[in-house]
Amino acid sequence: MDLSDYKGCGALTREQFLFHESKVVAKLIVDEGLSDDEIISKVAEENLFQFPTERMIKNIAGVCIKRLHCLDDMTLIGVIAHSPVEVAKQACLYAMMKQYRLVWDYMITVIGKKFEEQDLSYGKMDLNVFFMRLQEQDDEVASWADSTVQKLKQVLNKILIENEYIDGPRATKLNPVLISSELENAIRANNDEVALPAFNCFF
């Protein structure tokens, strides 16, 4: 049996957007040149995330490292470390798209398509249709509990809120976002142009 592209995406319910944490880890990679193990030790010893338990700190540090490695691009990791918040957040969103097929597909097939068609309406229906379609196509997604799917819908919405695509959980329209030149250049350099519509970029 083929392994589903969505295997492991359920972990998103725990992992979320992690902007602050990703920024901390990006700085340790770019500014201090630390190895993955050194980063996890330093974050835990100095409690750089301000989390209550060491286990949680190490776990999330590991997630951030893995996510940043998905970019495979030191320039973009530098953007996350040092660029203004809006620019850094966009790079984090791209990293999440690279890490999770679920985020990739949602941002391109739902959000990107809306930008392309200049249809800025948005709501629960969009999430429901997206998950229904996936459940029909993919056994892994079909096996997820309703509570997992609900949580994933919340996470996807939260990502949109963090990146100002929508104004809040009950938003009924998308805001037209503007891609940063740093991210656009990196996406093109990676031959990932298919991802550009997710950032309202077409040409």
Side-chain angles (χ1 to χ4, degrees), residues 92-156:
C92 273
L93 173 54
Y94 178 53
M96 259 191 124
M97 287 169 67
K98 299 281 280 183
Q99 186 181 21
Y100 294 110
R101 182 60 190 269
L102 188 76
V103 181
W104 177 268
D105 284 355
Y106 189 66
M107 290 307 300
I108 293 170
T109 66
V110 179
I111 305 300
K113 197 157 181 46
K114 281 184 171 287
F115 284 143
E116 193 174 0
E117 293 170 354
Q118 299 186 328
D119 164 19
L120 296 183
S121 65
Y122 181 76
K124 276 200 177 112
M125 194 62 181
D126 295 300
L127 282 161
N128 295 343
V129 170
F130 173 70
F131 276 98
M132 266 161 48
R133 210 174 58 225
L134 284 190
Q135 284 166 331
E136 284 163 9
Q137 293 167 358
D138 191 285
D139 292 341
E140 169 77 20
V141 180
S143 74
W144 291 344
D146 285 348
S147 56
T148 301
V149 172
Q150 276 311 111
K151 193 84 206 279
L152 287 168
K153 287 177 184 174
Q154 287 169 4
V155 171
L156 289 172

Side-chain angles (χ1 to χ4, degrees), residues 5-157:
D5 286 336
Y6 300 98
K7 192 118 190 88
C9 284
L12 260 174
T13 56
R14 291 190 307 278
E15 291 170 8
Q16 314 274 333
F17 189 55
L18 303 174
F19 174 64
H20 163 69
E21 295 79 9
S22 297
K23 202 170 173 65
V24 167
V25 171
K27 282 181 177 167
L28 295 176
I29 293 173
V30 175
D31 299 350
E32 302 190 27
L34 300 184
S35 71
D36 296 354
D37 290 341
E38 287 168 340
I39 289 170
I40 291 173
S41 300
K42 186 175 172 89
V43 170
E45 280 162 20
E46 299 179 22
N47 192 4
L48 296 178
F49 294 167
Q50 302 291 302
F51 285 172
T53 68
E54 186 171 309
R55 185 163 161 261
M56 191 176 175
I57 294 167
K58 287 184 166 175
N59 178 296
I60 295 297
V63 171
C64 292
I65 289 167
K66 196 168 154 197
R67 188 171 295 173
L68 293 172
H69 284 332
C70 285
L71 286 170
D72 197 19
D73 184 329
M74 280 306 281
T75 310
L76 273 186
I77 295 173
V79 165
I80 292 171
H82 295 300
S83 288
V85 171
E86 292 75 22
V87 178
K89 279 189 173 178
Q90 273 192 350
C92 273
L93 173 54
Y94 178 53
M96 259 191 124
M97 287 169 67
K98 299 281 280 183
Q99 186 181 21
Y100 294 110
R101 182 60 190 269
L102 188 76
V103 181
W104 177 268
D105 284 355
Y106 189 66
M107 290 307 300
I108 293 170
T109 66
V110 179
I111 305 300
K113 197 157 181 46
K114 281 184 171 287
F115 284 143
E116 193 174 0
E117 293 170 354
Q118 299 186 328
D119 164 19
L120 296 183
S121 65
Y122 181 76
K124 276 200 177 112
M125 194 62 181
D126 295 300
L127 282 161
N128 295 343
V129 170
F130 173 70
F131 276 98
M132 266 161 48
R133 210 174 58 225
L134 284 190
Q135 284 166 331
E136 284 163 9
Q137 293 167 358
D138 191 285
D139 292 341
E140 169 77 20
V141 180
S143 74
W144 291 344
D146 285 348
S147 56
T148 301
V149 172
Q150 276 311 111
K151 193 84 206 279
L152 287 168
K153 287 177 184 174
Q154 287 169 4
V155 171
L156 289 172
N157 254 349

